[in-house]
Amino acid sequence: RYISIFTPSVKCEAEKNKSQWKTMGPAKVPVPSPNKFLQKHSKEPKLPGRKKERDKKLPALSVPRRTDHPVMGIQSKKNFINTNAVAVIKGLPKKPQPIYVDRRQGDKYLLETSGLVPKYIKKKDYGVTPKYITQRKEDTKRAQKEYEASIMEHLKKRAMKRLSDEERMSLLQGLKKNWEEVYHDFQCLSVEIDTIPKKLYKEKLELQMKQLEHDIEVIEKHKVIYIANE
């Protein structure tokens, strides 16, 4: 049987390498020195030091410096008293501001900012209908016309006819006339209804009157009526 001559060396190296990593990490870990302990804020990033700007000029101050001295000896020949008096005499008097009082204690408020002054009537567009309302009315009219056209087209397809105002009034008068005739027959009934034919005739007249009243109410309520063509 063949045996390699490198077997002992391989076993020796394997044992040597395994023995060093038997624990978690290297067997010998360098221990930090007790003098190098963790200090406060030692791990925070440090900003670079601020450089001194020596050549930068200071901004000009509006206030005079302490070392500055005022200019002496300048005098004006203007008579401010007479000038102010002339300005007051020739000046226009001040108009009092309009105010309003809303309490009996006499509390005063400015009238202009109160909302009582009708400033809105001076606007250029005062009393003019807004554009969006005009546009909305036009859209409504156009939609109504389209709806009526579609209804008419639908009725034409279904062979429907619209009654004119004269035909509607004549139909309404005819129904009222029929109701009067039925009501006249109803009043001609005998006071005592003691037979079955009389009772049935009375019920028939009542049904006819109810139907005629319903038809009259429908025609009076609806201005537009469509009927099927015969």
Side-chain angles (χ1 to χ4, degrees):
R1 183 180 178 184
Y2 172 77
I3 297 174
S4 176
I5 59 175
F6 301 104
T7 300
S9 60
V10 171
K11 287 183 179 181
C12 182
E13 289 180 2
E15 292 293 335
K16 185 178 179 180
N17 294 332
K18 285 182 180 179
S19 61
Q20 290 185 357
W21 301 95
K22 284 183 179 180
T23 59
M24 297 295 292
K28 294 182 180 181
V29 180
V31 181
S33 174
N35 297 330
K36 297 180 180 180
F37 54 87
L38 185 64
Q39 296 181 358
K40 189 177 181 181
H41 304 294
S42 60
K43 292 188 177 182
E44 293 181 0
K46 295 181 179 181
L47 299 175
R50 185 175 181 182
K51 296 180 180 180
K52 295 182 179 179
E53 299 179 358
R54 297 180 180 178
D55 299 336
K56 188 175 182 181
K57 295 182 179 180
L58 297 176
L61 300 177
S62 59
V63 181
R65 298 179 183 275
R66 187 176 58 180
T67 57
D68 296 344
H69 299 285
V71 181
M72 306 296 289
I74 299 177
Q75 295 181 359
S76 175
K77 295 181 181 180
K78 184 178 180 180
N79 192 345
F80 291 95
I81 297 176
N82 294 339
T83 305
N84 293 339
V86 171
V88 170
I89 292 170
K90 291 184 177 181
L92 297 174
K94 266 189 176 182
K95 292 183 179 180
Q97 289 184 339
I99 58 176
Y100 73 99
V101 180
D102 62 345
R103 294 184 181 181
R104 61 183 179 180
Q105 286 83 1
D107 298 337
K108 299 178 181 179
Y109 302 96
L110 292 177
L111 183 62
E112 187 176 358
T113 58
S114 64
L116 301 175
V117 181
K119 291 184 177 181
Y120 53 88
I121 63 175
K122 299 179 181 179
K123 293 182 178 180
K124 294 181 180 180
D125 56 349
Y126 176 73
V128 180
T129 307
K131 292 182 179 180
Y132 73 93
I133 294 180
T134 307
Q135 184 68 26
R136 188 174 298 173
K137 288 183 179 179
E138 292 177 357
D139 296 342
T140 305
K141 289 181 180 178
R142 185 170 60 254
Q144 183 67 23
K145 289 181 180 179
E146 293 177 356
Y147 175 73
E148 290 179 358
S150 63
I151 291 294
M152 292 298 295
E153 187 68 22
H154 182 67
L155 294 176
K156 286 180 181 178
K157 291 181 180 179
R158 296 185 59 184
M160 299 291 286
K161 178 185 176 183
R162 177 178 175 178
L163 286 180
S164 61
D165 295 339
E166 294 79 7
E167 293 175 348
R168 176 175 168 275
M169 292 302 297
S170 63
L171 178 61
L172 188 62
Q173 291 176 2
L175 289 174
K176 289 181 179 180
K177 186 177 180 182
N178 293 340
W179 183 86
E180 291 177 358
E181 292 177 358
V182 176
Y183 184 67
H184 179 71
D185 295 340
F186 183 79
Q187 286 182 333
C188 293
L189 291 174
S190 60
V191 177
E192 184 178 358
I193 300 175
D194 51 355
T195 60
I196 294 177
K198 290 182 179 180
K199 185 176 181 181
L200 294 176
Y201 184 62
K202 179 184 177 183
E203 291 179 355
K204 179 183 177 181
L205 293 177
E206 289 177 349
L207 290 175
Q208 288 180 359
M209 291 172 62
K210 285 183 179 179
Q211 184 64 35
L212 289 171
E213 289 174 358
H214 177 265
D215 296 340
I216 291 170
E217 183 181 359
V218 170
I219 294 176
E220 288 180 345
K221 184 178 180 181
H222 300 86
K223 301 296 182 181
V224 180
I225 301 175
Y226 295 94
I227 59 174
N229 293 330
E230 296 181 357

